[in-house]
Amino acid sequence: MSAPEAAGAAAEPGAGPRSERLRVVHTSTFRYSGPVLASYNEARMTPVSQPGQVVVSSRLDVHPHTWMHAYEDYWGTSVTGFEVLAPHESMVITAEHVVEVSPRLPVRSIVDWATLTSADVRDRFAEFLADTPTTAPPQEVLDLAREVVGDLAPAEAAEAVCLALRERMDYVPGVTTVHTPAAEAWAAQRGVCQDMAHLAVGALHGIGIPARYVSGYLHPVVDAEIGTTVSGESHAWVEWWVGEWVAYDPTNRVAAGEHHVALGRGRSYDDVPPLRGIYAGAETQELTVQVQITREA
């Protein structure tokens, strides 16, 4: 998870929006205590082209593997299914992408609260208005969100809620896992980007704004020199719907923009894990994950 405030610096006065070309290399290495006889997996490690994000090139290598198949899941995330049927004591998954990322355009169509509470909107976005066990917020969070909203319009209210939650949460790695319920993270007042995103999604649902969880990467160095490779980690943020989907990074208190590379969206982390699978054989003895990000332009 990326360090807080990594992308919070503002552009220099007079500087116009600019796109970033980023090369991301994500390597996961599994080592087992003995032979694994068979392994069946799904990788969600491929970004998709969308407004503000163009995938220039992308590849996913698995060693060893015997079969691979790419498809798009229910939530629109690119998935690579693969299996390893030969005995093996290690597995290496390398995802490498070059992505052109641009600042997000201002929202052109903003709705009011009456539209958000209409039967049509609530039906259309039902899945992004209902909580999962991970995003269900405690009553204290719901009360805070309603207090913050006041007379604000939906677009301003959504950001205000995220800021209020972040002010009360300390960024502390290692105290939660990707499956920790938002309520537990809130009780501890500590967590990482997944916790901030889960809390924000649940709080926004509580005030009637459709919201979803986004997984991806964040370049951790503002204005990095071209050609410089830095160490990064996976990141999480949110999107809310107020006439259009708006991407926002509650951990860093900024709109998701040219430093963010989106991989997948869903109701919570459980819909977009980078890797999910089952295997028969020895236990995993060691897992190492490395993410390297290079600004190419």
Side-chain angles (χ1 to χ4, degrees):
M1 291 2 92
S2 55
E5 316 308 331
E12 296 180 3
R18 69 182 186 190
S19 62
E20 300 273 354
R21 177 169 290 201
L22 304 177
R23 180 179 297 274
V24 181
V25 181
H26 182 172
T27 305
S28 298
T29 304
F30 295 82
R31 294 184 175 86
Y32 307 101
S33 57
V36 168
L37 304 180
S39 177
Y40 306 89
N41 306 275
E42 292 179 342
R44 287 170 172 81
M45 300 168 69
T46 302
V48 294
S49 290
Q50 60 183 26
Q53 177 172 300
V54 177
V55 180
V56 178
S57 64
S58 180
R59 69 179 182 89
L60 181 69
D61 292 334
V62 181
H63 182 79
H65 80 272
T66 55
W67 173 88
M68 297 180 75
H69 172 64
Y71 63 96
E72 188 175 284
D73 71 10
Y74 177 81
W75 307 105
T77 303
S78 179
V79 183
T80 301
F82 63 91
E83 61 185 26
V84 184
L85 300 181
H88 56 286
E89 296 189 6
S90 67
M91 181 172 65
V92 180
I93 305 167
T94 303
E96 182 172 0
H97 321 291
V98 176
V99 184
E100 190 91 23
V101 191
S102 304
R104 304 303 191 260
L105 296 174
V107 179
R108 294 165 297 179
S109 176
I110 300 178
V111 300
D112 56 17
W113 289 110
T115 302
L116 284 178
T117 58
S118 68
D120 174 67
V121 168
R122 297 193 66 80
D123 179 65
R124 185 162 32 126
F125 295 106
E127 291 169 317
F128 296 122
L129 283 165
D131 283 314
T132 69
T134 312
T135 62
Q139 187 61 46
E140 186 179 358
V141 167
L142 293 176
D143 292 342
L144 174 63
R146 290 163 185 157
E147 178 184 346
V148 167
V149 169
D151 296 328
L152 295 174
E156 290 75 24
E159 183 172 352
V161 167
C162 288
L163 290 172
L165 293 172
R166 181 66 177 90
E167 286 174 1
R168 291 160 176 79
M169 290 284 292
D170 291 327
Y171 185 95
V172 182
V175 299
T176 59
T177 73
V178 292
H179 302 294
T180 297
E184 290 185 18
W186 179 257
Q189 299 287 284
R190 297 180 296 171
V192 290
C193 58
Q194 284 97 343
D195 303 299
M196 313 289 181
H198 284 148
L199 277 166
V201 166
L204 293 172
H205 290 171
I207 60 173
I209 297 178
R212 59 193 183 187
Y213 181 101
V214 187
S215 70
Y217 306 108
L218 172 67
H219 193 300
V221 181
V222 176
D223 294 331
E225 293 185 4
I226 294 175
T228 300
T229 299
V230 301
S231 295
E233 293 184 3
S234 299
H235 194 54
W237 57 97
V238 299
E239 291 178 345
W240 60 69
W241 191 88
V242 287
E244 299 175 16
W245 286 107
V246 177
Y248 187 82
D249 182 347
T251 302
N252 291 301
R253 303 179 176 95
V254 295
E258 64 272 27
H259 292 89
H260 296 74
V261 176
L263 287 174
R265 298 171 174 82
R267 296 163 299 176
S268 68
Y269 173 89
D270 292 332
D271 288 334
V272 289
L275 187 68
R276 173 184 286 146
I278 58 173
Y279 67 91
E283 294 182 357
T284 302
Q285 190 170 37
E286 181 183 6
L287 166 62
T288 59
V289 178
Q290 182 183 59
V291 177
Q292 294 184 312
I293 305 178
T294 306
R295 180 178 168 227
E296 295 196 334

